[in-house]
Amino acid sequence: KRVRNNIFCIFAPKIKFPKMKRHILLFITLIFSILTTFAQRTPQQMAAVLQQMDERLDKYDYEVQLDSFYYECQRQIRLCDKKIEKGTPAAYAERAVWRALLANAENLYLVEFGRKISERTALATDNEQDWHTWDYNKISADITRNYRLSLQDAYQSHTDSKTYLPIISSYTSYEHALLSVPDAYPTLYDLIAKDFSQKKNFHNRPSTRWETYLSEDLTTLDLGTTDTLSSNYQLLRLYQEMFRFHQDDVNKTSLLVWQLEFFNKIRNSCTEGIDIHTAALDQYLERLEQRYSHEPFAWILFMEMGDYYSPKGWEPRDENHYYKAVHYYQLVREATATSHPKIAEE
């Protein structure tokens, strides 16, 4: 409307166009306004686009809308490329978010249409621009590639998480308790790494040294593998990078959060066939307790330990674990009574 008013309400009365030419000019102006709708993006506008995408998925064919979302992300990335070429540092953060969204679109496609995709075979004639011709391995590899590029941009942007948290949390799940802790995921780099970690799981491999990863310092450990596309390697590399990123922080909240993320990822994978001794998990938490028990954010660790020792419905009741769980929950309640009353209530 703004473009139309500027052109036709100001200039058109002074210039006498034949009626047909005026219509043609109006049509050209309309096309121009549509093409430039997404040209400049603020984080708020990006969030609005995500909301519109969600609304469209309820109304139209799911695969068609994923296509729309996918190609829109690609277009936004190209726009960010141009901004970066012109020397706009803020475009690194925007491009990081759009790449993460692109990876999520691919992951949704893989989840929703996995059976159809698994029936495809890798062909030499695959169209690089048409993901409908890609086989399962190619899509998985491209998801990893886009997340890796997103992490590079986020790292280079040095952007805090406040601006982008509402956007990224709108399409991925986070621990709600930690969302109220400002230092849990302090940077955009943390948010995208968290999103990436949720798309991967550890799998049982004979050569994987689970006890070693839990007992030694992961920041200095040689991951020692040639299978760099495997889920195990990608996750281990991600956690190693996040540990290194936060190891020199004055406030160690985020480092603890990532250490607990790593612990939970291995622990949850135990239910999927990974053979690991419970003692290794216990000792890992005990070392964290020795290191952080006197820190003001120690309640995050105590909450995790309470969850860990709480008897599950399918497990035999262990009195010792039961009292440990009660003990750690009590510590959480005392530590958060003033600062995080909702957590204390829970």
Side-chain angles (χ1 to χ4, degrees):
K1 288 181 180 178
R2 192 180 298 116
V3 174
R4 184 194 64 193
N5 290 341
N6 287 341
I7 291 179
F8 290 100
C9 295
I10 297 175
F11 297 105
K14 300 176 183 179
I15 304 173
K16 294 183 178 179
F17 290 106
K19 188 174 182 181
M20 181 59 68
K21 289 186 178 180
R22 287 170 64 93
H23 288 166
I24 293 173
L25 184 57
L26 176 59
F27 178 77
I28 293 172
T29 305
L30 178 62
I31 294 298
F32 174 80
S33 65
I34 291 173
L35 292 176
T36 56
T37 300
F38 297 102
Q40 300 294 327
R41 278 289 167 207
T42 65
Q44 290 75 17
Q45 289 170 326
M46 290 162 70
V49 169
L50 291 180
Q51 186 177 0
Q52 290 172 8
M53 290 293 180
D54 289 339
E55 291 172 355
R56 290 173 188 168
L57 289 176
D58 293 334
K59 298 177 182 178
Y60 302 105
D61 181 76
Y62 195 76
E63 190 169 7
V64 171
Q65 289 309 300
L66 271 177
D67 276 352
S68 173
F69 192 88
Y70 179 84
Y71 292 117
E72 177 59 29
C73 289
Q74 286 189 322
R75 195 170 70 82
Q76 291 293 344
I77 290 169
R78 290 193 293 271
L79 290 174
C80 290
D81 291 342
K82 293 178 181 178
K83 292 180 187 178
I84 291 171
E85 288 173 4
K86 294 178 181 178
T88 308
Y92 281 105
E94 289 187 28
R95 189 169 69 176
V97 173
W98 284 112
R99 284 200 180 280
L101 292 174
L102 182 62
N104 269 270
E106 291 177 324
N107 187 70
L108 274 175
Y109 181 63
L110 202 61
V111 171
E112 294 297 327
F113 303 100
R115 184 174 180 180
K116 181 169 69 174
I117 295 169
S118 64
E119 294 173 354
R120 299 175 189 164
T121 55
L123 302 173
T125 56
D126 283 351
N127 186 343
E128 288 292 331
Q129 303 302 319
D130 183 7
W131 63 339
H132 295 290
T133 65
W134 297 356
D135 68 346
Y136 193 95
N137 290 335
K138 186 174 179 64
I139 295 177
S140 297
D142 204 59
I143 291 171
T144 299
R145 183 186 70 85
N146 279 310
Y147 269 121
R148 277 287 152 199
L149 292 171
S150 178
L151 285 168
Q152 288 176 19
D153 284 340
Y155 182 83
Q156 192 165 349
S157 72
H158 304 289
T159 306
D160 65 43
S161 60
K162 294 178 183 176
T163 304
Y164 293 97
L165 180 59
I167 299 171
I168 295 180
S169 61
S170 67
Y171 66 82
T172 189
S173 58
Y174 290 86
E175 287 82 354
H176 295 294
L178 294 182
L179 283 179
S180 60
V181 184
D183 300 315
Y185 303 105
T187 68
L188 176 62
Y189 185 56
D190 285 283
L191 291 181
I192 291 175
K194 168 68 175 174
D195 184 20
F196 184 24
S197 70
Q198 291 185 321
K199 304 300 185 296
K200 299 285 184 180
N201 286 305
F202 284 125
H203 301 288
N204 198 14
R205 298 288 184 273
S207 59
T208 308
R209 304 166 293 167
W210 300 111
E211 280 81 6
T212 302
Y213 297 141
L214 285 170
S215 62
E216 296 186 17
D217 183 4
L218 191 64
T219 58
T220 59
L221 203 61
D222 180 12
L223 300 182
T225 181
T226 56
D227 188 8
T228 57
L229 290 178
S230 71
S231 181
N232 285 2
Y233 173 81
Q234 288 297 330
L235 272 175
L236 287 169
R237 178 187 172 190
L238 179 68
Y239 289 122
Q240 188 178 68
E241 289 171 348
M242 299 315 296
F243 289 3
R244 290 172 178 173
F245 183 66
H246 290 292
Q247 66 182 350
D248 295 326
D249 291 356
V250 176
N251 183 341
K252 302 292 186 184
T253 302
S254 195
L255 177 59
L256 171 61
V257 167
W258 278 107
Q259 288 170 332
L260 291 175
E261 291 262 2
F262 175 60
F263 169 81
N264 273 321
K265 185 65 77 169
I266 290 184
R267 175 193 171 197
N268 293 337
S269 298
C270 290
T271 61
E272 299 176 10
I274 289 180
D275 183 21
I276 183 170
H277 295 296
T278 306
L281 297 172
D282 294 344
Q283 290 165 9
Y284 185 85
L285 287 180
E286 287 168 5
R287 286 195 301 274
L288 293 183
E289 185 178 13
Q290 290 172 5
R291 182 176 181 182
Y292 298 114
S293 60
H294 299 294
E295 298 287 349
F297 54 81
W299 64 268
I300 298 174
L301 173 61
F302 297 150
M303 184 166 63
E304 183 59 46
M305 295 181 78
D307 290 345
Y308 174 70
Y309 288 116
S310 292
K312 306 300 183 294
W314 63 87
E315 295 176 346
R317 182 182 176 89
D318 185 320
E319 291 295 331
N320 187 37
H321 281 188
Y322 174 80
Y323 288 114
K324 278 187 177 181
V326 171
H327 167 69
Y328 287 117
Y329 283 143
Q330 184 62 32
L331 291 178
V332 174
R333 190 175 179 180
E334 292 170 1
T336 59
T338 304
S339 58
H340 303 86
K342 288 186 178 178
I343 294 173
E345 246 182 79
E346 292 177 2

